[in-house]
Amino acid sequence: MKKPFVTNEQLQKIVEEYPTPFHLYDEKGIRERARNLQKAFAWNKGFKEYYAVKATPNPFILKILQEEGCGVDCSSLTELMMSEACGFSGSDIMFSSNDTPAQDFQYAAKLHATINLDDFTHIDFLNSLVGIPETISCRYNPGGKFAISNTIMDNPGDAKYGFTKEQMIEGYKKLQGLGAKHFGIHAFLASNTTTNEYYPTLARILFELAVELKEKTGAHIAFINLSGGVGIPYRPEQQEVDILAVGEGVRKAYEEVLVPAGMGDVAIFTELGRYMLGPNGCLVTKAIHEKHIYKEYIGVDACAANLMRPAMYGAYHHITVMGKEDQPCDHQYDVTGGLCENNDKFAIDRMLPKIDMGDLLVFHDTGAHGFSMGYNYNGKLRSAEVLLKEDGTTQLIRRAETPKDYFATFDFTGLFDQY
Ligand SMILES: *Cc1c(COP(=O)(O)O)cnc(C)c1O
């Protein structure tokens, strides 16, 4: 059974202070995951996790991760700015973008971030803007299908990202000619994987590529970035990834492929978002309407603008009706938000305890790609974000949007001054 990281008693107090809906984050859980990840890769001297800012772009969260020794993975101008404001700089920042605007590259270069190029043509683009730095990374796309022991995980051949194998070789040669001295290899081949084999399988592919690149181009490979993609069990019957086993699997590939090639000094990087934060956040909402037509509906005060994954991917988010954890799940509901879109359903045909108006519903695992995918459709406002601290107190780490925020981009008109 999935249990929220907050008890009903705690939550009843929290909602007295912060009106629903809001995203709640668990500081203790975040620190624990960061420490376990460090432990899993402690065998690698240069190991570093670059937290994927896009998963939860909140400076208070980034600060916690910074205290745990993490860097940040940015993909846009504002993510770079937020990281800068939090005190990240230089090699604390990985800039893994694609279809990158010139000003983003310029800002990344200004911060001396490590730039991870998404395409061969970006070599000339970057060179003409700011020159080629001594340390640079390239994103690899092996094409075809990506399988783990005969199970197809994803389809890199259809993905827009990265260099082909031939482009990696030509790219490293070209970059060396333009002054690059230390190289990274990056790839992200499957998302939200819950097998312990994802990183080890990916690592072996990248390690073999690293050996080939070194042989064919003479480049010094300084790091290999396994990027994101380690998943979490959104459903109660799914298994948690064993991160220590994952670290061991990568170590085995490292010792079998890199060490014999005289490359035992290569640093391993990760850019985990979902794994680090997903289970450490939840969306807290209140049941505000019930509707009995051809189906039974519960309307809550959150909508897809606060959590887009169910509407966008049909994603499952477990729901706990607070205070009714021990009651039988003998009612079948669609749990909906208020957007004028029929896909604004957090759950369809979900068996839950009988829900009464005013009940608090917790949507699990919204800590990554939750708040951050929010939007303002239907004029809905983004919610607050609240941090449950290690000592049990709470801190507002983002206030809820107000109508004034929504109208802010019309501030030149004078029309909305009254709000
Ligand atoms: C989204 C993303 C990540 C994080 O992915 P998760 O699935 O949240 O771990 C890491 N790196 C890059 C380049 C990404 O685009």
Side-chain angles (χ1 to χ4, degrees):
M1 203 179 83
K2 278 175 88 82
K3 275 175 86 168
F5 56 79
V6 63
T7 65
N8 184 38
E9 198 188 350
Q10 275 177 306
L11 200 59
Q12 296 295 343
K13 287 209 188 83
I14 295 171
V15 298
E16 281 173 22
E17 196 168 345
Y18 310 102
T20 54
F22 56 85
H23 283 268
L24 183 69
Y25 301 96
D26 181 24
E27 178 179 9
K28 185 161 165 279
I30 296 169
R31 291 189 187 277
E32 266 171 25
R33 286 210 159 216
R35 286 172 197 174
N36 282 339
L37 179 66
Q38 311 277 7
K39 211 159 111 191
F41 286 92
W43 56 267
N44 182 257
K45 204 162 138 273
F47 175 76
K48 195 172 177 78
E49 151 72 358
Y50 291 86
Y51 180 69
V53 175
K54 75 163 191 268
T56 326
N58 186 302
F60 294 85
I61 301 287
L62 298 187
K63 277 286 189 188
I64 293 171
L65 291 164
Q66 188 178 47
E67 286 168 18
E68 296 297 336
C70 300
V72 280
D73 160 35
C74 299
S75 56
S76 66
L77 182 66
T78 52
E79 289 180 2
L80 286 167
M81 288 171 169
M82 186 183 288
S83 301
E84 178 186 28
C86 289
F88 293 95
S89 67
S91 60
D92 299 335
I93 306 176
M94 186 66 59
F95 185 58
S96 291
S97 61
N98 70 92
D99 191 16
T100 315
Q103 62 170 345
D104 294 26
F105 271 140
Q106 284 161 335
Y107 212 88
K110 192 189 103 180
L111 298 182
H112 303 290
T114 302
I115 292 175
N116 179 36
L117 296 173
D118 181 67
D119 189 57
F120 186 83
T121 63
H122 292 192
I123 298 172
D124 281 335
F125 188 69
L126 181 69
N127 191 38
S128 68
L129 289 170
V130 291
I132 297 298
E134 282 200 358
T135 300
I136 190 119
S137 175
C138 298
R139 182 168 184 164
Y140 175 51
N141 181 336
K145 304 221 189 306
F146 173 67
I148 300 178
S149 13
N150 297 326
T151 307
I152 292 176
M153 304 293 291
D154 218 321
N155 206 349
D158 279 342
K160 66 174 177 172
Y161 306 107
F163 293 52
T164 65
K165 166 80 84 62
E166 292 67 33
Q167 289 174 339
M168 290 293 282
I169 296 166
E170 287 315 301
Y172 274 36
K173 287 182 187 162
K174 182 167 178 153
L175 285 162
Q176 287 182 95
L178 294 168
K181 295 199 164 57
H182 310 290
F183 288 82
I185 305 174
H186 171 285
F188 190 159
L189 301 187
S191 192
N192 192 26
T193 58
T194 49
T195 152
N196 293 341
E197 293 308 309
Y198 171 61
Y199 261 4
T201 307
L202 171 67
R204 193 172 289 271
I205 293 171
L206 298 186
F207 294 166
E208 283 165 0
L209 175 66
V211 173
E212 185 178 343
L213 282 170
K214 187 189 165 196
E215 278 169 6
K216 294 197 169 145
T217 71
H220 170 236
I221 314 289
F223 62 86
I224 289 173
N225 186 341
L226 303 177
S227 191
V230 176
I232 57 168
Y234 285 99
R235 292 174 180 272
E237 68 274 15
Q238 279 179 303
Q239 279 238 320
E240 178 80 63
V241 164
D242 177 352
I243 202 71
L244 293 179
V246 171
E248 267 309 291
V250 175
R251 188 175 68 85
K252 191 158 175 280
Y254 191 97
E255 284 176 358
E256 288 173 11
V257 182
L258 286 182
V259 173
M263 298 171 75
D265 62 344
V266 173
I268 302 296
F269 295 165
T270 56
E271 296 175 338
L272 294 172
R274 192 187 316 271
Y275 177 78
M276 301 294 281
L277 253 294
N280 293 316
C282 62
L283 175 58
V284 181
T285 70
K286 192 177 279 181
I288 57 170
H289 290 290
E290 57 189 313
K291 187 172 162 123
H292 319 280
I293 50 170
Y294 307 102
K295 296 180 86 172
E296 292 295 300
Y297 294 93
I298 295 294
V300 296
D301 58 5
C303 66
N306 307 111
L307 177 66
M308 197 183 196
R309 299 187 69 258
M312 190 166 176
Y313 311 117
Y316 180 96
H317 280 269
H318 197 66
I319 298 176
T320 296
V321 184
M322 297 305 284
K324 297 185 173 175
E325 293 83 347
D326 300 326
Q327 293 187 17
C329 292
D330 54 2
H331 283 64
Q332 180 171 302
Y333 294 115
D334 281 15
V335 179
T336 70
L339 292 188
C340 303
E341 281 277 356
N342 194 42
N343 69 356
D344 187 10
K345 294 184 175 181
F346 292 109
I348 296 171
D349 296 335
R350 185 76 59 90
M351 295 307 296
L352 291 165
K354 179 174 187 304
I355 294 173
D356 294 297
M357 296 305 90
D359 279 354
L360 291 178
L361 272 62
V362 162
F363 300 152
H364 292 239
D365 302 315
T366 68
H369 313 294
F371 178 95
S372 61
M373 289 180 88
Y375 56 115
N376 281 125
Y377 191 55
N378 263 174
K380 296 287 185 181
L381 303 175
R382 288 181 178 79
S383 79
E385 293 181 289
V386 178
L387 181 66
L388 176 62
K389 305 221 281 190
E390 284 190 293
D391 63 5
T393 62
T394 53
Q395 182 185 1
L396 185 67
I397 58 171
R398 187 195 296 266
R399 67 165 172 79
E401 274 182 351
T402 65
K404 195 181 175 75
D405 297 315
Y406 183 73
F407 297 128
T409 42
F410 301 115
D411 57 0
F412 56 94
T413 66
L415 273 173
F416 299 95
D417 291 355
Q418 59 184 308
Y419 304 103

Short mmCIF file of all heavy atoms in Angstrom, two decimals, residues 247-301:
data_model
loop_
_atom_site.label_atom_id
_atom_site.label_comp_id
_atom_site.label_asym_id
_atom_site.label_seq_id
_atom_site.Cartn_x
_atom_site.Cartn_y
_atom_site.Cartn_z
N GLY A 247 23.92 1.28 -9.03
CA GLY A 247 25.30 1.75 -8.93
C GLY A 247 26.29 0.60 -9.14
O GLY A 247 27.30 0.75 -9.83
N GLU A 248 25.97 -0.55 -8.57
CA GLU A 248 26.82 -1.73 -8.72
C GLU A 248 26.88 -2.19 -10.18
O GLU A 248 27.93 -2.57 -10.68
CB GLU A 248 26.29 -2.88 -7.84
CG GLU A 248 26.93 -2.95 -6.48
CD GLU A 248 28.45 -2.95 -6.56
OE1 GLU A 248 29.04 -3.94 -7.03
OE2 GLU A 248 29.05 -1.91 -6.15
N GLY A 249 25.70 -2.16 -10.84
CA GLY A 249 25.64 -2.56 -12.24
C GLY A 249 26.50 -1.67 -13.12
O GLY A 249 27.18 -2.14 -14.04
N VAL A 250 26.49 -0.38 -12.82
CA VAL A 250 27.31 0.56 -13.60
C VAL A 250 28.79 0.31 -13.31
O VAL A 250 29.63 0.33 -14.21
CB VAL A 250 26.91 2.03 -13.30
CG1 VAL A 250 27.85 3.00 -14.02
CG2 VAL A 250 25.46 2.29 -13.70
N ARG A 251 29.09 0.03 -12.04
CA ARG A 251 30.49 -0.24 -11.66
C ARG A 251 31.04 -1.46 -12.43
O ARG A 251 32.17 -1.46 -12.91
CB ARG A 251 30.60 -0.49 -10.16
CG ARG A 251 32.05 -0.59 -9.67
CD ARG A 251 32.13 -0.72 -8.16
NE ARG A 251 31.61 -1.98 -7.68
CZ ARG A 251 32.31 -3.11 -7.61
NH1 ARG A 251 33.57 -3.13 -7.96
NH2 ARG A 251 31.75 -4.22 -7.20
N LYS A 252 30.21 -2.48 -12.54
CA LYS A 252 30.62 -3.70 -13.23
C LYS A 252 30.98 -3.38 -14.69
O LYS A 252 32.04 -3.79 -15.18
CB LYS A 252 29.47 -4.72 -13.16
CG LYS A 252 29.81 -6.10 -13.60
CD LYS A 252 28.83 -7.12 -13.01
CE LYS A 252 29.09 -8.51 -13.56
NZ LYS A 252 28.53 -8.70 -14.91
N ALA A 253 30.10 -2.64 -15.36
CA ALA A 253 30.36 -2.27 -16.76
C ALA A 253 31.62 -1.42 -16.86
O ALA A 253 32.43 -1.57 -17.78
CB ALA A 253 29.16 -1.53 -17.34
N TYR A 254 31.79 -0.53 -15.90
CA TYR A 254 32.95 0.37 -15.85
C TYR A 254 34.24 -0.45 -15.77
O TYR A 254 35.21 -0.22 -16.51
CB TYR A 254 32.81 1.26 -14.62
CG TYR A 254 33.74 2.44 -14.50
CD1 TYR A 254 33.33 3.71 -14.90
CD2 TYR A 254 35.02 2.30 -13.94
CE1 TYR A 254 34.17 4.82 -14.76
CE2 TYR A 254 35.85 3.40 -13.80
CZ TYR A 254 35.42 4.66 -14.20
OH TYR A 254 36.25 5.74 -14.05
N GLU A 255 34.21 -1.46 -14.88
CA GLU A 255 35.43 -2.27 -14.70
C GLU A 255 35.68 -3.21 -15.85
O GLU A 255 36.83 -3.56 -16.13
CB GLU A 255 35.34 -3.02 -13.36
CG GLU A 255 35.62 -2.02 -12.25
CD GLU A 255 35.49 -2.57 -10.84
OE1 GLU A 255 35.14 -3.76 -10.71
OE2 GLU A 255 35.74 -1.80 -9.91
N GLU A 256 34.61 -3.58 -16.55
CA GLU A 256 34.79 -4.49 -17.68
C GLU A 256 35.17 -3.75 -18.96
O GLU A 256 35.83 -4.33 -19.82
CB GLU A 256 33.50 -5.30 -17.91
CG GLU A 256 33.30 -6.36 -16.83
CD GLU A 256 31.95 -7.07 -16.92
OE1 GLU A 256 31.25 -6.91 -17.94
OE2 GLU A 256 31.61 -7.78 -15.96
N VAL A 257 34.75 -2.52 -19.11
CA VAL A 257 34.98 -1.83 -20.38
C VAL A 257 36.01 -0.69 -20.27
O VAL A 257 36.96 -0.63 -21.03
CB VAL A 257 33.65 -1.26 -20.95
CG1 VAL A 257 33.88 -0.59 -22.31
CG2 VAL A 257 32.59 -2.35 -21.06
N LEU A 258 35.81 0.19 -19.29
CA LEU A 258 36.68 1.38 -19.24
C LEU A 258 38.05 1.09 -18.62
O LEU A 258 39.08 1.52 -19.15
CB LEU A 258 35.99 2.50 -18.45
CG LEU A 258 34.85 3.23 -19.16
CD1 LEU A 258 34.30 4.35 -18.29
CD2 LEU A 258 35.29 3.78 -20.52
N VAL A 259 38.05 0.36 -17.52
CA VAL A 259 39.32 0.13 -16.81
C VAL A 259 40.35 -0.57 -17.71
O VAL A 259 41.48 -0.11 -17.82
CB VAL A 259 39.08 -0.60 -15.47
CG1 VAL A 259 40.40 -0.99 -14.82
CG2 VAL A 259 38.27 0.29 -14.51
N PRO A 260 39.96 -1.67 -18.41
CA PRO A 260 40.94 -2.33 -19.29
C PRO A 260 41.45 -1.43 -20.41
O PRO A 260 42.52 -1.66 -20.94
CB PRO A 260 40.16 -3.52 -19.88
CG PRO A 260 38.98 -3.71 -19.01
CD PRO A 260 38.66 -2.38 -18.41
N ALA A 261 40.66 -0.40 -20.77
CA ALA A 261 41.08 0.51 -21.84
C ALA A 261 41.93 1.65 -21.29
O ALA A 261 42.21 2.62 -21.99
CB ALA A 261 39.85 1.06 -22.57
N GLY A 262 42.31 1.55 -20.01
CA GLY A 262 43.13 2.60 -19.41
C GLY A 262 42.32 3.87 -19.15
O GLY A 262 42.86 4.97 -19.10
N MET A 263 41.00 3.70 -18.98
CA MET A 263 40.14 4.88 -18.79
C MET A 263 39.46 4.84 -17.41
O MET A 263 38.31 5.24 -17.26
CB MET A 263 39.09 4.94 -19.91
CG MET A 263 39.73 5.10 -21.29
SD MET A 263 38.55 4.92 -22.64
CE MET A 263 37.70 6.49 -22.53
N GLY A 264 40.21 4.39 -16.43
CA GLY A 264 39.66 4.23 -15.08
C GLY A 264 39.52 5.54 -14.30
O GLY A 264 39.19 5.51 -13.11
N ASP A 265 39.77 6.67 -14.99
CA ASP A 265 39.62 7.96 -14.30
C ASP A 265 38.40 8.74 -14.79
O ASP A 265 38.20 9.90 -14.42
CB ASP A 265 40.89 8.81 -14.51
CG ASP A 265 41.12 9.12 -15.99
OD1 ASP A 265 40.50 8.43 -16.85
OD2 ASP A 265 41.91 10.02 -16.30
N VAL A 266 37.56 8.10 -15.60
CA VAL A 266 36.38 8.79 -16.15
C VAL A 266 35.35 9.00 -15.04
O VAL A 266 35.02 8.07 -14.31
CB VAL A 266 35.77 7.97 -17.31
CG1 VAL A 266 34.44 8.59 -17.77
CG2 VAL A 266 36.74 7.88 -18.48
N ALA A 267 34.85 10.21 -14.92
CA ALA A 267 33.82 10.52 -13.92
C ALA A 267 32.44 10.14 -14.45
O ALA A 267 32.18 10.27 -15.65
CB ALA A 267 33.86 12.00 -13.56
N ILE A 268 31.59 9.67 -13.56
CA ILE A 268 30.19 9.37 -13.92
C ILE A 268 29.31 10.51 -13.41
O ILE A 268 29.41 10.90 -12.25
CB ILE A 268 29.73 8.05 -13.28
CG1 ILE A 268 30.61 6.89 -13.70
CG2 ILE A 268 28.25 7.78 -13.61
CD1 ILE A 268 30.58 6.57 -15.17
N PHE A 269 28.49 11.01 -14.32
CA PHE A 269 27.50 12.03 -13.93
C PHE A 269 26.09 11.48 -14.15
O PHE A 269 25.88 10.63 -15.01
CB PHE A 269 27.66 13.29 -14.81
CG PHE A 269 28.96 14.04 -14.62
CD1 PHE A 269 29.34 15.00 -15.56
CD2 PHE A 269 29.79 13.81 -13.53
CE1 PHE A 269 30.53 15.71 -15.41
CE2 PHE A 269 30.99 14.51 -13.38
CZ PHE A 269 31.35 15.46 -14.32
N THR A 270 25.16 12.00 -13.38
CA THR A 270 23.74 11.72 -13.60
C THR A 270 22.98 13.05 -13.63
O THR A 270 23.48 14.06 -13.12
CB THR A 270 23.16 10.82 -12.49
OG1 THR A 270 23.39 11.44 -11.21
CG2 THR A 270 23.82 9.45 -12.48
N GLU A 271 21.81 13.01 -14.22
CA GLU A 271 20.93 14.19 -14.27
C GLU A 271 19.53 13.77 -13.87
O GLU A 271 18.56 13.98 -14.60
CB GLU A 271 20.85 14.76 -15.69
CG GLU A 271 22.14 15.30 -16.25
CD GLU A 271 22.01 15.75 -17.71
OE1 GLU A 271 21.09 15.29 -18.41
OE2 GLU A 271 22.85 16.55 -18.16
N LEU A 272 19.43 13.14 -12.72
CA LEU A 272 18.13 12.60 -12.32
C LEU A 272 17.20 13.70 -11.83
O LEU A 272 17.60 14.58 -11.08
CB LEU A 272 18.32 11.55 -11.23
CG LEU A 272 19.05 10.30 -11.71
CD1 LEU A 272 19.38 9.38 -10.55
CD2 LEU A 272 18.23 9.57 -12.76
N GLY A 273 15.97 13.64 -12.30
CA GLY A 273 14.94 14.56 -11.83
C GLY A 273 13.88 13.76 -11.08
O GLY A 273 13.73 13.84 -9.88
N ARG A 274 13.18 12.93 -11.84
CA ARG A 274 12.05 12.18 -11.30
C ARG A 274 12.45 11.30 -10.10
O ARG A 274 11.78 11.28 -9.08
CB ARG A 274 11.49 11.26 -12.40
CG ARG A 274 10.15 10.63 -12.06
CD ARG A 274 9.76 9.61 -13.15
NE ARG A 274 9.98 10.08 -14.48
CZ ARG A 274 9.09 10.77 -15.21
NH1 ARG A 274 7.89 11.01 -14.72
NH2 ARG A 274 9.38 11.18 -16.42
N TYR A 275 13.59 10.60 -10.25
CA TYR A 275 13.99 9.70 -9.18
C TYR A 275 14.23 10.46 -7.87
O TYR A 275 13.87 10.01 -6.79
CB TYR A 275 15.26 8.91 -9.56
CG TYR A 275 15.71 8.03 -8.44
CD1 TYR A 275 15.07 6.82 -8.17
CD2 TYR A 275 16.74 8.44 -7.58
CE1 TYR A 275 15.44 6.05 -7.09
CE2 TYR A 275 17.11 7.67 -6.50
CZ TYR A 275 16.47 6.48 -6.26
OH TYR A 275 16.82 5.72 -5.19
N MET A 276 14.82 11.64 -7.99
CA MET A 276 15.19 12.41 -6.79
C MET A 276 13.98 13.02 -6.09
O MET A 276 13.87 13.01 -4.88
CB MET A 276 16.14 13.55 -7.18
CG MET A 276 17.42 13.09 -7.84
SD MET A 276 18.46 12.17 -6.74
CE MET A 276 19.18 13.51 -5.81
N LEU A 277 13.08 13.58 -6.90
CA LEU A 277 11.99 14.38 -6.30
C LEU A 277 10.60 13.77 -6.41
O LEU A 277 9.72 14.10 -5.61
CB LEU A 277 11.98 15.77 -6.95
CG LEU A 277 12.48 16.94 -6.12
CD1 LEU A 277 11.57 17.20 -4.93
CD2 LEU A 277 13.89 16.72 -5.64
N GLY A 278 10.37 12.90 -7.39
CA GLY A 278 9.01 12.41 -7.66
C GLY A 278 8.25 12.00 -6.41
O GLY A 278 7.21 12.59 -6.06
N PRO A 279 8.75 11.01 -5.66
CA PRO A 279 8.02 10.52 -4.49
C PRO A 279 8.03 11.51 -3.33
O PRO A 279 7.28 11.33 -2.37
CB PRO A 279 8.79 9.25 -4.09
CG PRO A 279 9.68 8.95 -5.25
CD PRO A 279 9.95 10.24 -5.95
N ASN A 280 8.89 12.52 -3.43
CA ASN A 280 9.02 13.49 -2.34
C ASN A 280 8.14 14.71 -2.52
O ASN A 280 8.39 15.76 -1.93
CB ASN A 280 10.48 13.90 -2.18
CG ASN A 280 11.33 12.75 -1.71
OD1 ASN A 280 10.94 12.01 -0.81
ND2 ASN A 280 12.48 12.55 -2.34
N GLY A 281 7.12 14.57 -3.34
CA GLY A 281 6.15 15.65 -3.49
C GLY A 281 4.77 15.06 -3.66
O GLY A 281 4.62 13.94 -4.16
N CYS A 282 3.76 15.80 -3.21
CA CYS A 282 2.38 15.37 -3.48
C CYS A 282 1.53 16.62 -3.69
O CYS A 282 1.90 17.72 -3.27
CB CYS A 282 1.83 14.51 -2.34
SG CYS A 282 1.73 15.33 -0.75
N LEU A 283 0.42 16.44 -4.37
CA LEU A 283 -0.52 17.54 -4.59
C LEU A 283 -1.68 17.35 -3.62
O LEU A 283 -2.32 16.30 -3.61
CB LEU A 283 -1.00 17.52 -6.05
CG LEU A 283 -2.08 18.54 -6.44
CD1 LEU A 283 -1.63 19.98 -6.17
CD2 LEU A 283 -2.45 18.39 -7.91
N VAL A 284 -1.91 18.36 -2.81
CA VAL A 284 -2.96 18.30 -1.79
C VAL A 284 -4.17 19.08 -2.30
O VAL A 284 -4.06 20.26 -2.65
CB VAL A 284 -2.46 18.91 -0.46
CG1 VAL A 284 -3.55 18.83 0.60
CG2 VAL A 284 -1.18 18.20 0.00
N THR A 285 -5.30 18.41 -2.36
CA THR A 285 -6.52 19.04 -2.88
C THR A 285 -7.70 18.70 -1.97
O THR A 285 -7.62 17.81 -1.14
CB THR A 285 -6.89 18.53 -4.28
OG1 THR A 285 -7.33 17.17 -4.17
CG2 THR A 285 -5.73 18.58 -5.23
N LYS A 286 -8.79 19.39 -2.22
CA LYS A 286 -10.00 19.15 -1.44
C LYS A 286 -11.13 18.78 -2.39
O LYS A 286 -11.24 19.34 -3.49
CB LYS A 286 -10.33 20.44 -0.68
CG LYS A 286 -11.39 20.28 0.39
CD LYS A 286 -11.59 21.59 1.13
CE LYS A 286 -10.51 21.79 2.20
NZ LYS A 286 -10.70 23.05 2.95
N ALA A 287 -11.97 17.85 -1.96
CA ALA A 287 -13.17 17.50 -2.74
C ALA A 287 -14.18 18.63 -2.56
O ALA A 287 -14.56 18.96 -1.42
CB ALA A 287 -13.75 16.18 -2.26
N ILE A 288 -14.60 19.24 -3.67
CA ILE A 288 -15.54 20.37 -3.55
C ILE A 288 -16.89 20.11 -4.23
O ILE A 288 -17.84 20.83 -4.00
CB ILE A 288 -14.93 21.70 -4.08
CG1 ILE A 288 -14.47 21.59 -5.53
CG2 ILE A 288 -13.76 22.14 -3.18
CD1 ILE A 288 -14.09 22.94 -6.16
N HIS A 289 -16.95 19.10 -5.09
CA HIS A 289 -18.23 18.77 -5.71
C HIS A 289 -18.34 17.27 -5.94
O HIS A 289 -17.33 16.60 -6.16
CB HIS A 289 -18.38 19.47 -7.07
CG HIS A 289 -18.56 20.94 -6.96
ND1 HIS A 289 -19.69 21.54 -6.46
CD2 HIS A 289 -17.70 21.97 -7.23
CE1 HIS A 289 -19.54 22.86 -6.46
NE2 HIS A 289 -18.33 23.14 -6.91
N GLU A 290 -19.58 16.77 -5.87
CA GLU A 290 -19.84 15.40 -6.31
C GLU A 290 -20.95 15.47 -7.35
O GLU A 290 -21.83 16.31 -7.27
CB GLU A 290 -20.22 14.50 -5.14
CG GLU A 290 -21.41 14.97 -4.34
CD GLU A 290 -21.60 14.14 -3.07
OE1 GLU A 290 -21.53 12.91 -3.16
OE2 GLU A 290 -21.81 14.76 -2.01
N LYS A 291 -20.86 14.59 -8.30
CA LYS A 291 -21.78 14.69 -9.43
C LYS A 291 -22.20 13.29 -9.81
O LYS A 291 -21.36 12.39 -9.93
CB LYS A 291 -21.01 15.38 -10.57
CG LYS A 291 -21.83 15.71 -11.77
CD LYS A 291 -21.04 16.57 -12.77
CE LYS A 291 -21.75 16.48 -14.09
NZ LYS A 291 -22.15 17.72 -14.65
N HIS A 292 -23.50 13.09 -9.96
CA HIS A 292 -24.01 11.75 -10.27
C HIS A 292 -24.72 11.82 -11.61
O HIS A 292 -25.87 12.26 -11.67
CB HIS A 292 -25.00 11.30 -9.18
CG HIS A 292 -24.58 11.66 -7.78
ND1 HIS A 292 -23.64 10.91 -7.08
CD2 HIS A 292 -24.92 12.69 -6.96
CE1 HIS A 292 -23.46 11.47 -5.89
NE2 HIS A 292 -24.19 12.54 -5.80
N ILE A 293 -24.04 11.44 -12.68
CA ILE A 293 -24.75 11.36 -13.97
C ILE A 293 -24.59 9.93 -14.49
O ILE A 293 -25.05 9.02 -13.82
CB ILE A 293 -24.34 12.47 -14.95
CG1 ILE A 293 -22.82 12.59 -15.10
CG2 ILE A 293 -24.93 13.81 -14.50
CD1 ILE A 293 -22.35 13.50 -16.23
N TYR A 294 -23.94 9.75 -15.64
CA TYR A 294 -23.78 8.37 -16.13
C TYR A 294 -22.66 7.68 -15.39
O TYR A 294 -22.51 6.47 -15.43
CB TYR A 294 -23.53 8.40 -17.64
CG TYR A 294 -24.60 9.20 -18.34
CD1 TYR A 294 -24.34 10.50 -18.77
CD2 TYR A 294 -25.89 8.69 -18.47
CE1 TYR A 294 -25.34 11.26 -19.36
CE2 TYR A 294 -26.89 9.45 -19.05
CZ TYR A 294 -26.61 10.74 -19.49
OH TYR A 294 -27.60 11.49 -20.04
N LYS A 295 -21.82 8.50 -14.74
CA LYS A 295 -20.76 8.00 -13.88
C LYS A 295 -20.77 8.83 -12.62
O LYS A 295 -21.43 9.86 -12.55
CB LYS A 295 -19.39 8.15 -14.58
CG LYS A 295 -19.23 7.34 -15.83
CD LYS A 295 -17.84 7.56 -16.45
CE LYS A 295 -16.82 6.60 -15.83
NZ LYS A 295 -15.52 6.66 -16.56
N GLU A 296 -20.00 8.38 -11.65
CA GLU A 296 -19.87 9.14 -10.40
C GLU A 296 -18.61 10.00 -10.49
O GLU A 296 -17.52 9.48 -10.78
CB GLU A 296 -19.73 8.17 -9.21
CG GLU A 296 -20.99 7.37 -8.93
CD GLU A 296 -22.13 8.28 -8.50
OE1 GLU A 296 -21.98 8.96 -7.47
OE2 GLU A 296 -23.17 8.30 -9.20
N TYR A 297 -18.75 11.29 -10.23
CA TYR A 297 -17.62 12.21 -10.31
C TYR A 297 -17.35 12.87 -8.97
O TYR A 297 -18.30 13.23 -8.26
CB TYR A 297 -17.88 13.31 -11.33
CG TYR A 297 -17.97 12.82 -12.74
CD1 TYR A 297 -19.21 12.47 -13.30
CD2 TYR A 297 -16.82 12.68 -13.52
CE1 TYR A 297 -19.29 12.01 -14.60
CE2 TYR A 297 -16.91 12.22 -14.82
CZ TYR A 297 -18.13 11.88 -15.36
OH TYR A 297 -18.21 11.41 -16.65
N ILE A 298 -16.08 13.03 -8.67
CA ILE A 298 -15.67 13.89 -7.56
C ILE A 298 -14.88 15.03 -8.16
O ILE A 298 -13.87 14.81 -8.85
CB ILE A 298 -14.80 13.12 -6.54
CG1 ILE A 298 -15.60 12.01 -5.85
CG2 ILE A 298 -14.19 14.09 -5.51
CD1 ILE A 298 -16.73 12.48 -4.96
N GLY A 299 -15.31 16.26 -7.92
CA GLY A 299 -14.58 17.43 -8.40
C GLY A 299 -13.71 17.96 -7.29
O GLY A 299 -14.16 18.12 -6.15
N VAL A 300 -12.44 18.20 -7.62
CA VAL A 300 -11.52 18.72 -6.60
C VAL A 300 -11.12 20.15 -6.94
O VAL A 300 -11.42 20.64 -8.04
CB VAL A 300 -10.26 17.82 -6.47
CG1 VAL A 300 -10.64 16.43 -5.97
CG2 VAL A 300 -9.50 17.74 -7.79
N ASP A 301 -10.42 20.80 -6.02
CA ASP A 301 -10.07 22.21 -6.26
C ASP A 301 -8.75 22.38 -7.01
O ASP A 301 -8.30 23.49 -7.22
CB ASP A 301 -10.10 23.02 -4.96
CG ASP A 301 -9.16 22.49 -3.90
OD1 ASP A 301 -8.40 21.54 -4.18
OD2 ASP A 301 -9.20 23.01 -2.76
#
